Amino acid sequence: MKPPAELRRARAVVRALQRLGDEALDPSLDPGLARRCLDLARAPLTVEALALEASRARGRELLSSVGVVVAQGVFTAPLEWAALYATMGLRVLLKAPRQQAETCLALAEAMQAQGLPVQASTGRDLSGLEALVAFGGEQTAVELAQAWPQARLTAFGHRVSAAWVTAPTEPSALAALALALAQDHLLYDGQGCMAPVAVFVEGERLALAEALHLALSQAPWPRGPLDPALGPLWRERLGLARARGRAWSGAQHAVLLLPADALLPRALPRMAVLLPADPAALATLPLSSLAVQGAPPPHQAPRTCLPGQLQLPPFPRRHDGVDMVECVLAAPPARIA
Amino acid sequence: MSLDPSLDQALRAFITADQGGFEDLALRLFAWQRQHNPDYRALCADAPAPTRWQEIPPVPVGLFRDLPLTSFPPEQARVLFRTSGTTVGKRGECRALDTELYDLGARRHALACLGPLPAAGVALVPYEADSSLGHMCQDFVPGMPTFLTPERGLDLAGAWQALAQAREPLFLPTTAFALDALLDEGPAAPLPLPAGSLVMVTGGGKGREMRRSEAELVEQTEARLPGARVVGEYGMTELSSQLWSERPGLPYRPPPWLGVQALDPATGAPLPPGSEGLLAFVDLANRWTVLAIETQDLGVVDPAGRVQLRGRLSGAPLRGCSLAAAEALDRR
C-alpha cells in the first residue's frame, strides 16, 4: 500500500536535512560549534514527527505556497519551518538574509535534490505567495502587510529569553544547574530569541555565579572570537558589573552579578548575567522562552522549559504561542505574535 | 574638595604653560582618581599598575549612563553636562565641581589652532545648561545668540538674518546637521562674511539623514558664506578637551594635555601607531571624573599625534528574533 503523502514527503525532507553539510553553517560561528548546533536543531525533525504534525492539516483548507522571511541570527531557524511546510506539500520560498544567506541556499538546494519545491533567494520579490511568515518588528509587519496584501501574514516580533532558577545548596545540584545554564549560553554564541538575556536567581547568587564561571571555563564547546563590534559593549557590561556587583571573566566568556535594575534586554555572546529574582524586572521582557528550575515566577512565557533546554526547542511546538500549521491554513487575517 | 594641591597646580601649569611632563602628570592624576573615585577603582581593580600613559585603563563612554564616575561625592557636583542621547534613550552624565581646567584648556587650544576668535557670533548649537558644547561656545563668545532652542528648534530664517547683519568677523559654531539644514535655506546669492569669520563644524548627523556629504557641506558653506574659514571640532561630553581640524575631513589636532591612541575594538588593547581602531583618550583636563576614556569612534593616530576620524564603530547586529523582515521591504 502506498504510504500517505505526508510520510513520503517527510522522508524526503529528512534525507535533505541529513545531507546538509558545512556549506549550510553560519561562518560567523566556530565551525565545530556550528556543526553541533546544526545536529541539535535537526535532531527533533524526524520522519514521524514531521508526518504527524503535517497530517493535522488534513481536511482543512491549506494554502499552496508560503514565503518565510528568515532573520539574521540563529542560522538553523529556517529548518523547522521549511521542513514542516515541505512535508505539508507547500511550495516554499525562503527569503534569506543578505548577510547570512548560506543556510537558506544550502537548505533549498538539498530539498530540491529530493524533489521538494523549496527555493531560497535574497531577493525581495514575495509576489504570488499565499502565506508569509516573517520575523521583525511591528512596524515591519504592518509594512509587509501593505506591500503584499494578498498573502496571509504571520509576523513574529522581537523576543528574548531568560532563566528563573532557585540556586541549589547541594554542590552536585549546583554544578548540574551551572552546566545546564552554560549550555544555554554557549549554543549559537548567545544569538537568537532563545538565548538567555538574564538568569534570575532566588537564593545564593554568588555560589551559582562561581559554579557557572567554572562550567563555562570547562565546557568542551568550541567557541570563536568575539565580534569586534561587540567589544565596547562587552567591556561596558563587564565594567558595570565590576562597579555595581561582581564579575568573573574567562578567555571566552564572562559571568556578571548585577542588580535587577541593570537588566539589559540583549544577550551578549557567552556572557551570563545573574540578577536577583525580581518579578517586576522579568515582566519587562518580551519573552519567547523561560527556563525554570524551582519555584516558578508569577510571569509566564509562551514556552517554559528546564535550564539547558532553552536553545533546544522541541518539535512540534507553538512558536511564541503560534501554531505553525495554522500559519498556512486559509483563514483569518494578519496577526503579530 | 580639591585635588592634592601640588597636583592641582601642576595640571594647571601644564595646561596653561606646557610646564611639566604629560606622562608623569597622567600617572599622578590616575593614581589620585583611583583613590578618590570608587567606580573607577572598581573598574581598575584587576588592571596592573600602569607605567606609561597608554596603559591607564580607559572607561567605556557608555558607562557614563550608568555610573556617576566622579572623583568626589556626586551630590556635591556644581556642574552637570549630559550627552545628547540621540542614539539611546538614557543619557550619559558628567559631573564636576568646576570648569576651570575645561575653560582654560578649551580657550588655549582653540587659540593655538585657530588664532584669535571673533568677538561676535551666531550659534547653531544648543545652549541648555547641561550642554558642554553650548558652554564652550558661550565661553568663547560671551553673549552670542543661538538659533537652536528646544522651544523653537532651528530658527534658520533668524540665523540667516543675523548673518546678513554681520559687520565684524563672526564665529558660527554649528553641528553638521544644523549646517546642512541652514544651507537648504537662505539667499541663493553668496553672503560674504567679514574676513576672519569662522564656521566651526562639529559632530555628524546624530543618526539623522543629511542631504550633503561632509565635503559638500564644506564646499557649499565656503561658496555661500565667502570670507569665512570652515574648521572642524571634535569633542564629546565625556572629555574636557577638544581637537581641531583646519578643515572638516582633515586630521584633528589634540592639545598637548590630551593623549590619543587607537584600540583594538574587540579586545581594547592598544594598536600600533598608524592602525585604525577605537579612539581612546587620556585627558588631563578631566580632573573631576576619569581621565581615560574609550570612545565608540574609529580613527587613526598619525606619527605627529593627529587624528584622522573614520566614523563610528558600526553597531553589532541586533540579536534576537530579529529585524530581517525590514530587509524584505528595503528599497523595493
Side-chain angles (χ1 to χ4, degrees), chain A residues 173-261:
Chain A
L174 188 69
L177 175 60
L179 201 60
L181 291 171
Q183 172 163 296
D184 286 335
H185 284 88
L186 290 174
L187 272 176
Y188 299 98
D189 266 357
Q191 296 182 59
C193 56
M194 294 183 186
V197 297
V199 179
F200 294 93
V201 185
E202 292 265 21
E204 180 49 62
R205 282 191 300 156
L206 188 62
L208 180 59
E210 287 172 341
L212 183 51
H213 174 50
L214 186 66
L216 287 165
S217 303
Q218 295 178 343
W221 294 73
R223 33 197 119 165
L226 184 69
D227 179 344
L230 293 173
L233 191 54
W234 178 278
R235 291 188 287 281
E236 189 182 314
R237 296 293 286 171
L238 207 56
L240 183 64
R242 285 183 176 135
R244 295 193 62 196
R246 291 277 302 268
W248 292 258
S249 186
Q252 296 285 350
H253 73 271
V255 178
L256 314 184
L257 275 190
L258 280 166
D261 65 8

Side-chain angles (χ1 to χ4, degrees), chain A residues 239-314:
Chain A
L240 183 64
R242 285 183 176 135
R244 295 193 62 196
R246 291 277 302 268
W248 292 258
S249 186
Q252 296 285 350
H253 73 271
V255 178
L256 314 184
L257 275 190
L258 280 166
D261 65 8
L263 171 64
L264 186 73
R266 180 177 181 185
L268 290 181
R270 307 183 290 261
M271 177 178 274
V273 179
L274 273 59
L275 306 175
D278 181 342
L282 179 68
T284 63
L285 294 175
L287 282 176
S288 164
S289 301
L290 183 66
V292 176
Q293 177 166 301
H299 185 72
Q300 294 300 310
R303 170 177 166 250
T304 302
C305 63
L306 287 170
Q309 300 297 308
L310 265 181
Q311 305 247 33
L312 304 174

Side-chain angles (χ1 to χ4, degrees), chain A residues 69-73 95-99 122 124 126 134-137 140 143-144 147-148 156-159 188-193 226-233 235-240 242-244 266-269 319-320, chain B residues 38-47 58-69 90 263-269 278 294-297 313-332:
Chain A
V69 180
V70 178
Q72 186 180 351
K95 160 52 185 102
R98 282 193 293 267
Q99 305 292 327
T122 56
R124 294 178 284 274
L126 303 175
F135 299 90
T140 305
E143 290 171 10
L144 271 177
W148 310 107
F156 294 93
H158 179 69
R159 300 270 182 156
Y188 299 98
D189 266 357
Q191 296 182 59
C193 56
L226 184 69
D227 179 344
L230 293 173
L233 191 54
R235 291 188 287 281
E236 189 182 314
R237 296 293 286 171
L238 207 56
L240 183 64
R242 285 183 176 135
R244 295 193 62 196
R266 180 177 181 185
L268 290 181
H319 189 105
D320 291 347
Chain B
D39 293 330
Y40 198 24
R41 187 164 58 245
L43 291 170
C44 301
D46 298 334
V59 173
V61 285
L63 279 176
F64 281 87
R65 291 194 302 263
D66 296 304
L67 300 171
L69 284 164
K90 204 169 173 183
L263 308 179
D264 180 333
T267 64
L278 273 187
E294 175 188 321
T295 74
Q296 294 179 353
D297 291 328
L313 182 69
S314 63
L318 269 182
R319 290 163 183 253
C321 269
S322 88
L323 311 173
E327 230 181 72
L329 294 156
D330 194 22
R331 291 190 295 277
R332 283 182 59 239

